[in-house]
Amino acid sequence: MGALALVIAALVGVVGYRVYAQRVDRTVIVADPKRATPARMYNDGVDFMPASGSVLFGYQFKSIAALGPIVGPIVALQWGWLPAMIWLLVGVFFIGWIQDYASAMMAMRNDGMTMAGLGFKFISERSRTILLLFIYFYLLLIMGAFGSIVAGVLASPAVPVGFIVLTLAGVLAGQMTYRWRRDLIQTTVITVALAIVGIWIGQTGAVTSLVADFNKLAGTANAAGAYVLYHTPYGDMTWAVFFWGIFALAFCYLGSVLPIWRFAQPVNYVSFWLVALGIVGGIAGIVLSAFHLGLGATATAAFQIPAFTHFSVAGLGPLWPILFVTISCGAVSGWHSLVSTSGTARQLEKETDALPVGAGAMFSEAVLGTLSVVFGATAAGIYLANKGYIMSPTASAGGVFAAGMGRFLHVIGIPAGFGAAFGAAFLAIMALTVMQLVLRFMRVASAELVGEAVPLFRNQHVGSLVGILFTLLILWTAFWQRIWILFGGSNQLFAGLALLLITIWLAQTAKPYAWAGIPAAFMYITTVGALAYTGWTSLVLVVQPDTAAAGELAFRIGNAVAGVIAVILVVAALVMAWDGVQSLLQSRAHPEPAPAAAGDD
């Protein structure tokens, strides 16, 4: 069943891209290779920079695919593997690629505007302010949640050296591509080989011993052997997580302030090839294990859990609407619209590159989500015996994925030690290469939000450092663990907002818009329902807390903050929906003709 799931995912991708997406591109959007794009018109070498479609596909995939398509599908297995698979495949076919591709085209045809600028243009002035506030807080949630996870991954002695070498290989790729003008194939082979060698060196005994000794430089050893600096209401803060959290944010700082060709784009490009190799190797291992090659009978049972368990799962909630925000990537994700508008749309050299880059990368991410289902399902017997693991999904789900990748890579002959290190490095790559873009978008959002009142925030260093300070506050207090449950809801709500903007844009230019409008309505209703449910359950726990929970006061405070945030998000979503519907009705009544393509008579 594992191999069959991957075959079905691939078929959905091929049919969705070759039939549905290309038909929409040809008959509705009408991409024009001669139309001047923002990358060519406003080329500043920093944010606007023309790049080839081949490079941008790797950049787009690595920018949208973070921990979401890894953590979400594994957590969702508590409803059974079938609901997770259905949502991944149906979601990407009817919703996911639409948002990614159309948001890039919408931004390109509006001078590379950000989501906030598009909200102001197509909805209302207050929508711009609401969007900016929402974007900034949403991005801060990503930084805090992913930062804590990746700090823990980097604390593993076999990971950090390999990741540092990968980063240097990415910088070299940028230099070879844009300064030395080397052939892209030659650049790819050299830099990817360097990154793989770095991961291998990083897992050797001498290197892991040095990193392990470094992880003992400060703090007091606890029963598990970790060196603790201080305690938080949510657990111990170890020296290793403390330090590698700072390292991760330093990496993000470089990605935020350096020209995009110098750091963010080439590092993500090299990372894409490592991720691609991991995915291909994992798929090959799954296919071979289906024929009982290399794994025992227990491990080769591709799906050890039922196809469907229960409609409502304790600790998570009902399948609708919670499943659709639990799997917040792989099917559809609001984060993708930020990447497509503030990043990719400013680098696309031709409009005709938008479909393979935007839609193609989204369908590829659905395959990664399917891999996560298979990896998680093969380990589900262990997890079902350990009840309650889902309540702390971030570490356990990441561990399941890394172990699953190492296990299936071993089937195709990869040494177990290297496979495990590669799987852990895979997680770090997935998180950090996205976090650098998150911080970059945070400083852009803060400049738009308060730049006029406080001109200092227009400075890229100031905006980036403020974002880092906020992130450190979340990381060092470990408070992010109480608000993680809101990440999926805020992410999918942003997808609904992006689809709403796309619908209004299409209606305003007299284009068919139902193919975006129906997904927008579904995402909006589902996400508002999920946030309302989360807010209600959180506030109930403030009044009736779990008295067995460690730190009852912290438990109450955490749920109170989570409940208030959920209520604020619901109110903001309803205001945006009201303004958006008014704008849509006006656009339907008085559509504007689409602007002529460059060079038209």
Side-chain angles (χ1 to χ4, degrees):
M1 183 58 190
L4 179 59
L6 293 168
V7 170
I8 293 172
L11 288 175
V12 168
V14 170
V15 174
Y17 181 80
R18 291 292 181 185
V19 179
Y20 190 17
Q22 289 188 352
R23 181 176 180 275
V24 168
D25 181 64
R26 184 176 61 254
T27 61
V28 180
I29 301 297
V30 193
D32 183 358
K34 297 181 180 179
R35 189 192 299 266
T37 64
R40 289 157 53 192
M41 292 189 293
Y42 309 122
N43 185 356
D44 60 6
V46 179
D47 291 318
F48 293 86
M49 178 94 181
S52 74
S54 299
V55 171
L56 280 180
F57 177 86
Y59 166 84
Q60 176 81 359
F61 177 81
K62 207 39 237 67
S63 299
I64 64 174
L67 296 180
I70 292 174
V71 173
I74 293 175
V75 172
L77 285 172
Q78 285 198 110
W79 285 287
W81 59 261
L82 186 59
M85 283 298 305
I86 290 176
W87 171 231
L88 280 169
L89 300 180
V90 173
V92 72
F93 192 97
F94 290 106
I95 307 177
W97 77 267
I98 293 172
Q99 181 206 217
D100 292 25
Y101 164 65
S103 58
M105 291 298 300
M106 175 174 60
M108 276 199 297
R109 291 187 177 174
N110 287 277
D111 294 325
M113 281 186 177
T114 62
M115 286 294 290
L118 293 166
F120 173 77
K121 178 174 182 178
F122 292 118
I123 301 181
S124 66
E125 183 175 355
R126 71 175 175 180
S127 295
R128 173 183 178 273
T129 304
I130 292 174
L131 264 175
L132 282 171
L133 287 169
F134 180 85
I135 288 170
Y136 197 85
F137 179 75
Y138 161 65
L139 294 176
L140 184 59
L141 282 177
I142 298 176
M143 289 293 288
F146 284 12
S148 183
I149 297 170
V150 80
V153 173
L154 288 172
S156 172
V159 176
V161 170
F163 187 82
I164 291 171
V165 174
L166 162 68
T167 301
L168 296 175
V171 173
L172 176 61
Q175 186 72 16
M176 292 178 70
T177 301
Y178 295 107
R179 283 292 182 263
W180 299 343
R181 304 293 180 182
R182 300 295 186 189
D183 177 72
L184 183 60
I185 295 178
Q186 179 191 41
T187 299
T188 302
V189 171
I190 291 174
T191 55
V192 172
L194 283 174
I196 293 174
V197 170
I199 294 174
W200 179 82
I201 292 174
Q203 55 89 49
T204 57
V207 173
T208 55
S209 295
L210 286 174
V211 177
D213 290 339
F214 177 82
N215 288 345
K216 300 176 183 178
L217 286 181
T220 304
N222 62 12
Y227 280 67
V228 178
L229 292 179
Y230 55 87
H231 303 285
T232 77
Y234 308 104
D236 294 335
M237 175 56 65
T238 65
W239 155 251
V241 170
F242 184 90
F243 173 81
W244 291 113
I246 296 175
F247 171 86
L249 292 178
F251 173 90
C252 296
Y253 175 78
L254 294 176
S256 176
V257 301
L258 289 177
I260 201 161
W261 68 269
R262 173 70 73 182
F263 195 88
Q265 187 199 83
V267 170
N268 279 18
Y269 176 72
V270 174
S271 300
F272 161 77
W273 286 106
L274 290 183
V275 170
L277 289 173
I279 291 174
V280 171
I283 291 173
I286 290 170
V287 172
L288 288 177
S289 70
F291 296 99
H292 303 281
L293 298 178
L295 292 178
T298 301
T300 54
F303 288 91
Q304 296 176 5
I305 61 174
F308 179 74
T309 56
H310 305 284
F311 180 80
S312 185
V313 173
L316 280 176
L319 188 146
W320 187 92
I322 304 300
L323 169 71
F324 302 91
V325 300
T326 300
I327 301 182
S328 57
C329 288
V332 58
S333 167
W335 162 249
H336 299 188
S337 63
L338 281 176
V339 174
S340 296
T341 54
S342 299
T344 306
R346 298 179 174 191
Q347 300 175 71
L348 284 163
E349 195 169 24
K350 299 180 294 183
E351 281 193 355
T352 47
D353 288 340
L355 185 67
V357 169
M362 181 63 236
F363 280 113
S364 300
E365 192 192 50
V367 175
L368 175 59
T370 304
L371 266 183
S372 299
V373 172
V374 175
F375 289 170
T378 55
I382 300 169
Y383 276 83
L384 290 177
N386 180 18
K387 297 185 185 302
Y389 80 96
I390 213 68
M391 297 305 294
S392 181
T394 50
S396 58
V400 168
F401 186 90
M405 175 163 284
R407 184 170 66 252
F408 285 112
L409 287 177
H410 187 56
V411 173
I412 62 173
I414 303 297
F418 178 77
F422 190 93
F426 189 103
L427 285 176
I429 291 168
M430 296 298 286
L432 273 174
T433 49
V434 167
M435 284 176 65
Q436 64 172 329
L437 294 178
V438 172
L439 187 62
R440 191 180 192 96
F441 297 158
M442 282 182 75
R443 58 103 168 156
V444 171
S446 63
E448 286 191 53
L449 185 61
V450 298
E452 291 186 10
V454 186
L456 193 62
F457 273 85
R458 294 178 180 173
N459 183 286
Q460 60 182 357
H461 299 282
V462 172
S464 299
L465 289 173
V466 169
I468 285 175
L469 290 175
F470 281 140
T471 304
L472 285 174
L473 177 64
I474 295 176
L475 288 179
W476 288 349
T477 61
F479 182 70
W480 71 272
Q481 296 183 61
R482 292 308 311 155
I483 58 177
W484 169 266
I485 55 176
L486 295 171
F487 165 69
S490 61
N491 184 61
Q492 299 302 69
L493 177 57
F494 204 81
L497 292 172
L499 289 163
L500 175 62
L501 281 172
I502 292 167
T503 303
I504 296 170
W505 168 60
L506 292 169
Q508 196 173 93
T509 53
K511 300 274 190 180
Y513 57 82
W515 59 282
I518 294 173
F522 173 80
M523 291 304 301
Y524 231 96
I525 294 170
T526 298
T527 306
V528 169
L531 286 170
Y533 177 86
T534 299
W536 172 256
T537 53
S538 296
L539 293 174
V540 166
L541 288 173
V542 175
V543 181
Q544 300 174 340
D546 181 358
T547 55
E552 183 178 325
L553 178 60
F555 186 83
R556 287 177 183 266
I557 293 174
N559 279 291
V561 172
V564 170
I565 291 171
V567 171
I568 291 173
L569 290 175
V570 168
V571 172
L574 293 176
V575 171
M576 287 285 293
W578 174 262
D579 289 351
V581 169
Q582 301 305 309
S583 178
L584 176 61
L585 293 175
Q586 183 177 3
S587 298
R588 288 178 58 187
H590 306 286
E592 300 174 3
D600 287 351
D601 293 332

